[in-house]
Amino acid sequence: MQIARSITAVLSDPQLDDSLRLIAHKVFNGERITENEGLILFEKGELGYLGALANYIREKRHGNSTFFNRNFHIEPTNVCIYTCKFCSYSRLIKQREDGWEYTMDDMLDIVRKYDGQPVTEVHLVGGVLPQYDLDFYTELFRRIKAHRPELHVKALTPVEYHYIFKKAKVSYEEGMRRIAESGVDSLPGGGAEIFHPEIREQIAGDKCTGEQWLRIHEIWHELGKRSNATMLYGHIEKYEHRIHHLEQLRQLQDKTGGFQTFIPLKFRNQDNEMSHIPETSVIEDLRNYAVSRIYLDNFDHIKAYWPMIGRQIAQLSLSFGVDDIDGTIDDTTKIYSMAGSEEQNPALSTQELVNMIRRVGRQPIERDTLYKVIKDYTDEVFEEDTAFRGYFDLPVVTNS
Ligand code: V47
Ligand code: SF4
């Protein structure tokens, strides 16, 4: 299913710029594009052109399949020793009475709340505080696994790992080995922001560097484990910084093959120190998904994270290179509602996710975190589903 042009229509367009035609030929032939060509795509590629190329790759890899999972988040705290300028969620230690700080029992209670429910993944990430150290987290992961061994634990980013390993005086290698032993199954993609030091310094200067982020993922991959990667875009970075970021990821993926999914994260500007910067347009968001799909030829999946981008753009993105829209979430994350996302209480039932995917002509597939297919919902009929009628678009069900 295509919203716009096909790659063959693009290739036969007599008006097409020569450099864009060359790139389209490369994509059609399955060849890798260079950094300079990536930059050309960002600078000159209009939406229809980029969509045609990205959709060609997406359908070659996955056909119409569109992946989602059943998950929930645990955010241990929103108090943080760091001061990232884009963060709407965190509170400084001196304002800690405005935030929350869960104990280990609080977090185990959240896990227990899902007993008997068919969730497959817990995504655990939050602020950085001294009491959440290596011993605390390894104990927490062990106890989660002891309670529910089959629940996939996707936890913490190099931002936390760098901090807790330094505090425990262990090397990254030793630290990641202990983390794997304690039950963490995979790493989420957070904390990547923008790797380029000139930009990172200005927006997230006091936390781990881009190089450290990449090194921790590399060590994790060497242990035979998988992880995701993100990029925070649409603030003070330029296209060249986005390409630099994508290039670092592509190089590491060539080396290890350990990344599963790339998740572009649109900067949301409510209540943070960068609120004066306007947010990107929907067209720029779709262009960014498309260039990411084209550039990262060694990544299997591109994800649109619906609590951040909103359900409707997530649906549109499925024609611009995206094949995954994350999961049910169950209103367990505050990062994006506090930053101004239209999704103020993010929660979707399986039925709602399935219908979102069907309404844009794609096939809904429930996956586990490692992309093993749990269920193909293509022909599923929901008894209570009175809303869905073929491919007509309907107002998205809201949970407010
Ligand atoms: O690293 C914080 C971002 C990330 C804002 O791996 C913001 O499956 C936009 O990484 N505007 C954490 N973004 C979330 C994350 C993630 C989300 C969903 C799925 C996965 C996965 C990973 O959120 C942070 C930061 O880049 N963030 N504040 C903001 N105002
Ligand atoms: Fe802390 Fe993460 Fe917010 Fe940065 S983005 S201030 S590390 S919670």
Side-chain angles (χ1 to χ4, degrees):
M1 186 326 249
Q2 297 211 351
I3 272 189
R5 300 160 80 188
S6 69
I7 195 161
T8 43
V10 163
L11 285 169
S12 57
D13 178 355
Q15 311 288 328
L16 191 65
D17 170 279
D18 284 345
S19 56
L20 291 176
R21 182 184 313 283
L22 183 69
I23 297 172
H25 272 291
K26 278 187 146 180
V27 168
F28 190 63
N29 294 326
E31 292 167 34
R32 173 168 284 191
I33 66 164
T34 64
E35 284 175 76
N36 190 43
E37 287 166 339
L39 207 50
I40 292 172
L41 289 181
F42 269 133
E43 284 168 354
K44 293 208 240 173
E46 47 82 20
L47 182 65
Y49 165 89
L50 293 176
L53 271 55
N55 193 53
Y56 172 76
I57 300 168
R58 186 251 199 249
E59 292 190 354
K60 211 160 112 181
R61 278 178 178 269
H62 304 294
N64 276 325
S65 295
T66 299
F67 301 95
F68 69 93
N69 71 350
R70 298 201 226 195
N71 59 354
F72 64 98
H73 287 230
I74 297 179
E75 294 175 348
T77 179
N78 69 337
V79 185
C80 189
I81 59 163
Y82 295 125
T83 53
C84 304
K85 292 209 167 59
F86 53 81
C87 187
S88 322
Y89 157 90
S90 65
R91 299 291 173 266
L92 297 169
I93 292 190
K94 61 182 181 210
Q95 309 160 324
R96 68 195 314 168
E97 65 285 355
D98 297 341
W100 69 85
E101 291 171 51
Y102 291 153
T103 63
M104 194 170 304
D105 283 337
D106 292 336
M107 293 192 251
L108 291 167
D109 280 346
I110 297 175
V111 173
R112 283 191 279 264
K113 210 180 99 191
Y114 290 90
D115 285 358
Q117 293 191 38
V119 288
T120 57
E121 172 192 285
V122 54
H123 179 158
L124 194 149
V125 71
V128 176
L129 278 182
Q131 74 261 29
Y132 301 116
D133 60 10
L134 182 57
D135 287 341
F136 178 94
Y137 274 128
T138 47
E139 174 69 13
L140 173 67
F141 300 138
R142 267 196 200 97
R143 288 175 67 180
I144 293 176
K145 281 299 201 187
H147 179 71
R148 193 164 173 177
E150 81 289 359
L151 185 67
H152 184 107
V153 176
K154 184 171 88 175
L156 307 187
T157 74
V159 177
E160 291 100 334
Y161 287 130
H162 170 79
Y163 174 83
I164 65 178
F165 297 160
K166 202 167 156 202
K167 192 158 181 279
K169 297 192 174 50
V170 298
S171 65
Y172 287 170
E173 286 81 357
E174 169 65 10
M176 291 317 280
R177 197 185 50 72
R178 284 205 219 166
I179 288 295
E181 273 172 15
S182 71
V184 171
D185 296 293
S186 70
L187 304 192
E193 324 313 354
I194 283 279
F195 295 141
H196 199 289
E198 270 168 32
I199 302 299
R200 195 174 184 86
E201 186 63 27
Q202 294 178 62
I203 64 168
D206 49 358
K207 67 186 189 188
C208 76
T209 64
E211 278 174 12
Q212 289 165 335
W213 190 100
L214 289 158
R215 180 66 192 135
I216 287 174
H217 279 260
E218 183 175 1
I219 293 167
W220 185 247
H221 296 169
E222 282 163 358
L223 291 169
K225 303 283 191 176
R226 312 302 302 271
S227 68
N228 292 340
T230 58
M231 172 175 77
L232 178 71
Y233 71 94
H235 41 89
I236 59 168
E237 90 291 0
K238 297 200 168 67
Y239 287 142
E240 68 204 58
H241 302 118
R242 291 192 209 173
I243 289 295
H244 173 268
H245 190 96
L246 296 176
E247 177 58 20
Q248 304 300 303
L249 290 174
R250 195 167 75 172
Q251 282 182 18
L252 181 53
Q253 181 73 334
D254 276 345
K255 213 164 152 188
T256 65
F259 288 118
Q260 306 203 100
T261 313
F262 178 65
I263 310 143
L265 295 172
K266 171 195 179 100
F267 165 63
R268 309 298 314 234
N269 70 2
Q270 191 176 293
D271 292 335
N272 57 48
E273 283 184 52
M274 301 197 331
S275 292
H276 57 285
I277 300 175
E279 291 183 356
T280 47
S281 68
V282 174
I283 290 177
E284 185 58 17
D285 297 331
L286 295 174
R287 292 178 74 249
N288 188 68
Y289 283 120
V291 176
S292 304
R293 177 62 286 172
I294 298 164
Y295 200 84
L296 294 176
D297 60 349
N298 53 6
F299 274 62
D300 279 341
H301 302 282
I302 306 289
K303 184 193 283 190
Y305 184 52
W306 67 265
M308 176 273 297
I309 200 81
R311 299 169 209 200
Q312 298 197 12
I313 306 178
Q315 283 176 298
L316 276 176
S317 74
L318 299 181
S319 291
F320 292 85
V322 168
D323 61 276
D324 188 302
I325 57 171
D326 205 82
T328 43
I329 311 283
D330 200 25
D331 197 11
T332 48
T333 175
K334 294 264 168 283
I335 298 181
Y336 290 100
S337 52
M338 290 171 84
S341 169
E342 39 289 272
E343 304 290 350
Q344 283 299 300
N345 299 97
L348 284 174
S349 65
T350 305
Q351 183 175 350
E352 285 168 327
L353 270 170
V354 163
N355 283 345
M356 262 174 74
I357 295 168
R358 281 173 169 171
R359 279 178 198 141
V360 287
R362 301 292 191 184
Q363 292 177 260
I365 311 282
E366 183 187 347
R367 59 160 175 90
D368 69 8
T369 311
L370 302 176
Y371 287 86
K372 188 164 85 41
V373 172
I374 293 182
K375 182 168 172 171
D376 182 342
Y377 279 84
T378 307
D379 300 318
E380 179 84 0
V381 178
F382 292 101
E383 273 179 23
E384 292 164 24
D385 190 1
T386 52
F388 180 64
R389 301 271 185 278
Y391 289 151
F392 293 114
D393 192 34
L394 295 161
V396 173
V397 184
T398 59
N399 53 19
S400 52

